[in-house]
Amino acid sequence: MELKFLCEPQDLDAVLAAAPGDGMETRSLVSTYYDTPDKRLGSAHISLRIREGGGKRVQTLKRGEGFTREEHEGPAPAEGLDLTVPALRKALSPAQRRKLAPAFTVAVTRRQRTFLYEGAEIELAIDEGAVTAGERQRVISEVELELKAGPPTALFALARSLAKTAPLYLSFDGKASQGAALRDGAGLVPRKQDRVKLKRGTTAAEAFQAIARNALTQIAANALILREADGEAVLHQLRVSVRRLRSAIATFKPIVEDAVAPAIRAELKWLLKACDLDVFARDNAALGEAGAALAPAVEAARAGAHAKAQAAVASKRFRDLVLEATAWVETGAWLSGKHEKRRKGSAREFAAKALARRWKRIAARAAELEDLGDAGRHHLRIDAKKLRYALEAFAPLFHKSKVDRFLKRLKTLQDELGALNDAAVAHRLVARLKPAGAGRAAARSVLAARDHRRDKTLKSATKAMRHLAAAPLPWVI
């Protein structure tokens, strides 16, 4: 098990000084990562490297996602790769192994020491250097904590202690992931949801951990981009990832609720609010002069929202949230609580019941959508969004074509309800913008245009609801 933190170069010495133990080994390491032209290893979450340092060549294959991965390591030949390693033979066919070629390199100066801490043997490594892929290069400045033996709780306890010394941002992307992103030119591209890999034999607890890790990875990656570069797309993806994690915690509440869960939910709610960005102006371009006249006030409000979000993801509160949420997912009391039967039960059966409960809330109001009022349709929209997040997470457990068909119809309903909600809150948003002069007249025009479309959108939402209600339920086992 390994935790990786991003840290500013000027703070690395302070972290090392605050760490337990004494003595230090310093090495220069150059690692060359390999993959096939069609990136077969990367798509399977496998990394293969040759690391050179101290007169040695070591070949390492790592497989898996998250903090715990299988690792196969051994001496490398004087040149090239050892293609006979069982783990590599299992991953690739003979023809594929022959196509392996260097993809990118990582060169770092590593300072490390190993020590005992709260009953665990832990290795601390501090890396400074760069990852290089073709003409592209990215600086590396990281702190790694690797659990060699003992309880994982000690690893998180040490992380909390070191985090008091310097700003440490928990990162879920290893050097292989960073190199692959650099190679593909995706260094500052907003991180979208990756499909969670769930299998039919997965337990409910394992499913929650996989879904939560996936969301936390997306949160950390988009927060990193937001700290470095402003952008509406990355802010949107950050909000989506926070909502996905909140939805997962709510869906799995019967098995994960413990003394820490409420605090995690509260902090995620804070982050969501801190990263709020009104989408009031997203279709104002279609309103001609009215939208253009209102644009300055809208853009000023957006700039303020972005500044607030960037401050939030750079704060100690955010760093603590990601660390504590991860510690809770990996080592929380819920893992040994009273709901053992549910935790160890089938994820597929748990998912079917959870999705059925969420659908029941929606179906109960299907026939009365037009009579619900703005507040009622707002709550229906939220329920639809929660069902969508849950079904997307559980998708691998059910028949793909049925899931895709239902999700398509659910997204249509969600879009229509979203348009209705935008129209409903537009008046409040305009009040917040406080437009003056030509902007005030433009605001009245914008609001009138949105109100004019409302009846047509309501009819479309009603049709989408009927269409969804007629779809086969993919979770019915």
Side-chain angles (χ1 to χ4, degrees):
M1 189 174 190
E2 182 180 271
L3 300 180
K4 183 187 301 291
F5 297 89
L6 305 180
C7 182
E8 291 297 324
Q10 63 268 23
D11 294 325
L12 293 174
D13 287 340
V15 173
L16 184 61
D22 49 29
M24 181 176 64
E25 180 183 5
T26 302
R27 294 183 293 164
S28 294
L29 303 173
V30 177
S31 299
T32 302
Y33 286 78
Y34 290 77
D35 206 341
T36 60
D38 58 357
K39 307 169 189 176
R40 188 168 295 270
L41 289 181
S43 62
H45 299 283
I46 298 173
S47 68
L48 175 66
R49 75 178 183 221
I50 295 291
R51 172 171 284 173
E52 299 180 73
K56 297 181 179 179
R57 279 173 52 90
V58 178
Q59 179 171 313
T60 304
L61 182 145
K62 295 184 179 182
R63 181 200 303 270
E65 300 176 84
F67 301 113
T68 54
R69 296 177 294 171
E70 64 178 82
E71 182 173 324
H72 305 267
E73 186 171 279
E79 294 183 2
L81 295 165
D82 180 358
L83 301 180
T84 66
V85 174
L88 185 56
R89 295 174 64 184
K90 183 179 179 181
L92 299 175
S93 68
Q96 291 166 344
R97 293 199 301 273
R98 288 193 293 271
K99 293 180 180 179
L100 286 167
F104 52 87
T105 60
V106 176
V108 298
T109 297
R110 166 165 291 187
R111 293 178 285 170
Q112 68 183 63
R113 70 165 68 120
T114 303
F115 46 80
L116 296 177
Y117 186 83
E118 294 191 1
E121 182 183 0
I122 298 174
E123 179 185 88
L124 165 71
I126 290 180
D127 288 343
E128 292 183 87
V131 54
T132 303
E135 298 298 319
R136 303 187 182 100
Q137 190 172 80
R138 185 173 179 84
V139 172
I140 289 177
S141 179
E142 298 176 346
V143 176
E144 293 184 4
L145 303 176
E146 183 175 348
L147 183 68
K148 296 294 188 180
T153 51
L155 204 62
F156 287 100
L158 176 60
R160 293 186 187 99
S161 176
L162 295 179
K164 296 176 182 178
T165 304
L168 299 178
Y169 293 90
L170 186 59
S171 173
F172 297 79
D173 290 330
K175 294 180 178 64
S177 299
Q178 295 179 60
L182 194 65
R183 173 197 61 193
D184 299 337
L188 291 178
V189 175
R191 182 74 62 88
K192 296 183 178 181
Q193 174 191 0
D194 292 326
R195 173 158 288 197
V196 182
K197 289 180 172 55
L198 301 179
K199 299 178 181 178
R200 294 293 176 94
T202 303
T203 67
E206 290 170 341
F208 171 70
Q209 288 182 312
I211 293 168
R213 287 177 194 135
N214 192 284
L216 283 164
T217 298
Q218 190 183 4
I219 289 172
N222 285 308
L224 169 62
I225 297 173
L226 187 59
R227 288 193 297 270
E228 295 188 7
D230 193 6
E232 185 173 336
V234 68
L235 190 54
H236 170 70
Q237 290 301 328
L238 177 58
R239 285 176 57 80
V240 168
S241 58
V242 175
R243 290 197 195 103
R244 287 181 55 229
L245 183 53
R246 280 168 53 87
S247 176
I249 294 173
T251 298
F252 285 90
K253 187 174 180 179
I255 66 171
V256 304
E257 189 66 14
D258 61 11
V260 176
I264 300 297
R265 287 197 298 269
E267 289 302 278
L268 288 171
K269 185 176 182 179
W270 158 78
L271 181 58
L272 197 60
K273 186 176 181 180
C275 294
D276 187 22
L277 179 65
D278 298 330
V279 293
F280 176 69
R282 69 183 177 188
D283 61 350
N284 277 4
L287 300 177
E289 293 182 6
L294 192 57
V298 172
E299 291 308 313
R302 281 187 169 185
H306 276 281
K308 180 182 177 183
Q310 286 182 306
V313 298
S315 68
K316 182 179 184 301
R317 187 173 182 177
F318 172 79
R319 296 193 297 272
D320 289 346
L321 164 59
V322 177
L323 178 58
E324 294 304 331
T326 303
W328 174 68
V329 169
E330 302 296 335
T331 65
W334 68 272
L335 284 162
S336 56
K338 58 184 178 180
H339 303 299
E340 181 178 6
K341 186 175 180 180
R342 288 177 179 173
R343 287 196 309 274
K344 294 184 177 181
S346 163
R348 191 166 186 256
E349 293 180 6
F350 181 92
K353 293 178 181 178
L355 292 168
R357 286 195 299 270
R358 291 209 177 279
W359 171 243
K360 185 177 180 180
R361 290 175 58 88
I362 296 173
R365 290 167 288 178
E368 55 185 27
L369 191 148
E370 293 187 33
D371 301 322
L372 285 177
D374 291 335
R377 285 189 288 270
H378 170 64
H379 290 298
L380 178 62
R381 180 180 67 90
I382 292 175
D383 286 336
K385 187 178 295 185
K386 289 179 178 178
L387 176 60
R388 175 185 165 186
Y389 289 148
L391 182 54
E392 286 176 339
F394 289 131
L397 301 176
F398 302 105
H399 196 281
K400 185 178 185 304
S401 63
K402 289 184 178 180
V403 170
D404 291 344
R405 188 181 309 120
F406 192 88
L407 279 175
K408 184 178 180 180
R409 298 186 184 188
L410 181 58
K411 290 176 183 177
T412 299
L413 173 63
Q414 189 178 327
D415 288 343
E416 298 295 347
L417 291 174
L420 286 170
N421 187 66
D422 289 348
V425 302
H427 291 270
R428 185 169 70 247
L429 295 179
V430 167
R432 284 171 51 187
L433 292 174
K434 298 178 181 179
R440 186 181 296 112
R444 286 196 294 266
S445 177
V446 168
L447 293 176
R450 286 174 179 258
D451 291 341
H452 179 72
R453 295 197 303 264
R454 185 175 177 279
D455 290 342
K456 183 178 179 180
T457 305
L458 182 56
K459 290 180 180 179
S460 297
T462 302
K463 180 180 178 181
M465 184 71 251
R466 289 198 302 266
H467 199 209
L468 178 64
L473 303 179
W475 56 83
V476 175
I477 299 177

